[in-house]
Amino acid sequence: MTDLIRRLASTSLTARVAFGIAFLLIFGGVIVSIAAFAYGREAARSAYDRLLLGAATGIASSITVQDDRPVIELPVSAFELLALAPDDRIGYRIIGPEGATLTGYDEITLPTGRRDFREGFFDGSFFGEPARFAVVSRRFAERTLNGTIKVVVGQTLRARNDMAYDITRKALYVLAASGLAMVLLSVVVVRSVLQPLERIAGGLSARDPHDLTPLDTSVPRETAVMINALNGFMARLDRQMNSMRHLISDTAHQLRTPVAALRAQADLFTDEPELSRKEKIVERIQTRTASLGRLLDQLLSQALVIHRGDSARREKVDLRDIALDVFEEGDHAVLNPEFDVILDIGEDPVEVLADVQSLKEALKNLLNNALKYGRSPVRIGASLQGRRASIWVEDAGGGPVDGVLAELGSRFNKGALSRQSSSGLGLAIAHSVALSYDGELRLEKTGGARFRAALVFAAVPEGRT
């Protein structure tokens, strides 16, 4: 069963459309056949009932009274009408006022329980064969003949059935011809409908593997959904590839100088005979190694943030929880014990749609920058202003001058206040996180000679889950 479902799922669109049309034609053909046969039977019954009624009326009209007795002269025209069904057997019976048969077949009997049956049609049998009968009454009011004479005329059903089958057969011929025309038309329509898919497939096959530019969206509306999704996927893939290229170039750019310096210090250590100078060389190697380690951590953090910005599912996050987690991890107390770090969060939720891990990485970088370049005390907080939610780090320093402040946030921009060991990636990581979740990085001086770095996002409306 699983294999069958898998094969059906991989069936081509043309085959699916063909199967659907075939099913509709078969189902519709059955319904039309039943309807055509019912219509044929009704049409045949109506036509031949008129013949029976005309013959019975003609016979009833020919009855006269002579010498106080009914005289019957069967008109030829009545039997000429019935002769229109040459393969059917014909029977008639004329019943007097007392119920006796005046002429005709005694085997023809009126329906049981309907002795007062005067005029109309009924079904019966004629010598063991199904037949249809018409009854016409004629009233006589003579001194010697007072009563009703009934004329019963019937015929078997062969001509009726043949007519019904003929109507059904002709209807099926029309249905088959129209079905064939529909199949041919559907082939043309399906091929026309699938042409955009073939153009898309041809365009993708002819593309350069490195070409991730958007596809042309001038396609039918139903296909545009797939094109838009494909363009979105290629855009994410392009961003991932760009981030990988940036990571490689950033790593090569930043590692070249410290690695060369380490190599030079190692060469000096090998050639230096004095022990005191060797100790200074070792101290410089340790400093360079620590700086290199921090650089690698930031490069990996940047790659993680950019990757999660496109791949991680957005979820509702309370920025107060992010600030609390970073504060409780206590890295600042180990690396910079001389700084006072204060947590400042309120009672109301500050919710945004983002990724927890990316926000933590960004906030840690903002905190590290404040600990490096700012002054104690440092405050970590989250706040809500209208429809904008922010998570921020604020220190007691005045921040850089306006010219330097405008340039902060780009990769490898260390600024005038950075130390030699800094890579300039901290604010770039925070900036990448802000862009990934439709926010912004704000660097501003606040009242009281304080400097604040904040990530600002659109807040989740109340009541939204």
Side-chain angles (χ1 to χ4, degrees):
M1 179 62 71
T2 304
D3 294 338
L4 178 59
I5 294 176
R6 187 181 297 110
R7 285 197 296 269
L8 290 177
S10 60
T11 305
S12 67
L13 292 178
T14 304
R16 293 186 183 187
V17 173
F19 176 78
I21 293 176
F23 176 77
L24 289 177
L25 289 177
I26 293 174
F27 183 74
V30 173
I31 295 178
V32 171
S33 299
I34 296 174
F37 183 71
Y39 170 76
R41 289 188 60 182
E42 185 62 28
R45 169 174 289 190
S46 177
Y48 284 97
D49 279 354
R50 288 191 179 96
L51 295 180
L52 285 177
L53 184 61
T57 302
I59 293 175
S61 300
S62 66
I63 300 175
T64 59
V65 178
Q66 295 181 4
D67 298 331
D68 299 329
R69 297 180 61 185
V71 176
I72 303 169
E73 294 183 3
L74 298 177
V76 177
S77 59
F79 292 97
E80 288 178 346
L81 288 176
L82 298 177
L84 295 176
D87 296 330
D88 282 319
R89 302 179 64 181
I90 301 171
Y92 67 93
R93 180 186 177 190
I94 301 176
I95 304 173
E98 303 298 330
T101 300
L102 300 180
T103 184
Y105 296 93
D106 289 330
E107 290 80 7
I108 299 175
T109 58
L110 296 177
T112 304
R114 297 172 62 182
R115 305 187 67 86
D116 58 343
F117 187 87
R118 292 183 177 277
E119 293 186 353
F121 300 92
F122 67 91
D123 295 320
S125 62
F126 186 63
F127 292 101
E129 190 173 353
R132 177 79 167 169
F133 298 91
V135 179
V136 174
S137 299
R138 183 176 178 183
R139 175 74 177 175
F140 288 90
E142 304 287 341
R143 287 185 301 174
T144 56
L145 181 61
N146 187 7
T148 301
I149 296 178
K150 299 177 181 178
V151 178
V152 183
V153 179
Q155 67 181 162
T156 55
L157 308 179
R158 296 177 184 177
R160 295 169 182 256
N161 293 336
D162 290 342
M163 183 178 179
Y165 290 138
D166 183 64
I167 293 175
T168 303
R169 185 166 52 252
K170 291 179 179 178
L172 291 180
Y173 289 157
V174 175
L175 177 64
S178 60
L180 180 60
M182 289 178 62
V183 169
L184 296 177
L185 182 61
S186 65
V187 171
V188 176
V189 171
V190 169
R191 291 186 64 85
S192 175
V193 169
L194 296 182
Q195 278 183 355
L197 296 180
E198 295 177 357
R199 289 200 305 270
I200 294 170
L204 288 175
S205 300
R207 274 197 169 204
D208 185 271
H210 301 288
D211 183 7
L212 296 177
T213 56
L215 294 172
D216 184 12
T217 57
S218 58
V219 294
R221 182 171 52 189
E222 293 78 8
T223 312
V225 177
M226 181 185 68
I227 294 297
N228 291 333
L230 187 58
N231 285 339
F233 171 76
M234 290 196 300
R236 294 194 301 271
L237 185 60
D238 188 44
R239 288 194 296 268
Q240 291 290 333
M241 294 182 65
N242 285 335
S243 66
M244 292 175 61
R245 287 192 291 267
H246 288 158
L247 178 61
I248 294 173
S249 63
D250 294 347
T251 304
H253 173 77
Q254 288 294 298
L255 293 183
R256 183 179 297 111
T257 299
V259 169
L262 286 174
R263 183 182 302 164
Q265 294 295 332
D267 293 338
L268 289 175
F269 181 84
T270 303
D271 297 335
E272 182 58 51
E274 295 184 12
L275 181 60
S276 60
R277 294 182 63 84
K278 282 188 174 183
E279 290 177 353
K280 292 182 179 179
I281 292 174
V282 170
E283 183 179 351
R284 286 196 294 269
I285 290 176
Q286 289 177 341
T287 302
R288 292 285 186 178
T289 304
S291 176
L292 182 60
R294 288 192 295 270
L295 173 61
L296 289 176
D297 288 341
Q298 286 192 318
L299 287 172
L300 292 175
S301 296
Q302 187 188 34
L304 174 65
V305 164
I306 295 175
H307 169 72
R308 293 184 67 86
D310 280 331
S311 61
R313 179 178 179 270
R314 297 190 181 192
E315 56 185 357
K316 188 164 66 173
V317 179
D318 193 338
L319 295 182
R320 299 180 304 159
D321 295 335
I322 303 297
L324 180 61
D325 289 344
V326 172
F327 177 80
E328 290 182 343
E329 287 180 5
D331 293 343
H332 55 275
V334 177
L335 299 176
N336 301 82
E338 70 278 8
F339 273 74
D340 292 330
V341 180
I342 303 170
L343 181 66
D344 183 6
I345 55 177
E347 298 293 333
D348 297 328
V350 184
E351 295 178 332
V352 298
L353 292 177
D355 173 58
V356 173
Q357 189 63 36
S358 298
L359 290 177
K360 284 185 178 181
E361 289 293 333
L363 187 60
K364 286 180 181 179
N365 280 278
L366 294 181
L367 178 59
N368 289 336
N369 278 347
L371 295 176
K372 283 182 181 181
Y373 311 123
R375 295 181 182 179
S376 181
V378 176
R379 298 168 61 230
I380 304 175
S383 58
L384 181 64
Q385 296 180 348
R387 297 183 179 180
R388 307 296 291 177
S390 63
I391 186 169
W392 44 265
V393 174
E394 186 178 83
D395 67 85
V401 297
D402 294 339
V404 175
L405 183 61
E407 298 176 357
L408 291 178
S410 58
R411 292 164 38 238
F412 308 126
N413 185 8
K414 302 178 183 180
L417 301 178
S418 70
R419 299 175 184 174
Q420 188 64 26
S421 60
S422 172
S423 65
L425 283 175
L427 292 179
I429 292 174
H431 182 66
S432 297
V433 172
L435 293 181
S436 297
Y437 300 105
D438 304 323
E440 60 177 328
L441 173 64
R442 289 184 182 176
L443 304 174
E444 55 189 1
K445 297 178 181 180
T446 60
R450 304 184 66 86
F451 179 75
R452 173 178 291 189
L455 296 174
V456 183
F457 305 95
V460 176
E462 294 184 6
R464 178 174 174 179
T465 58

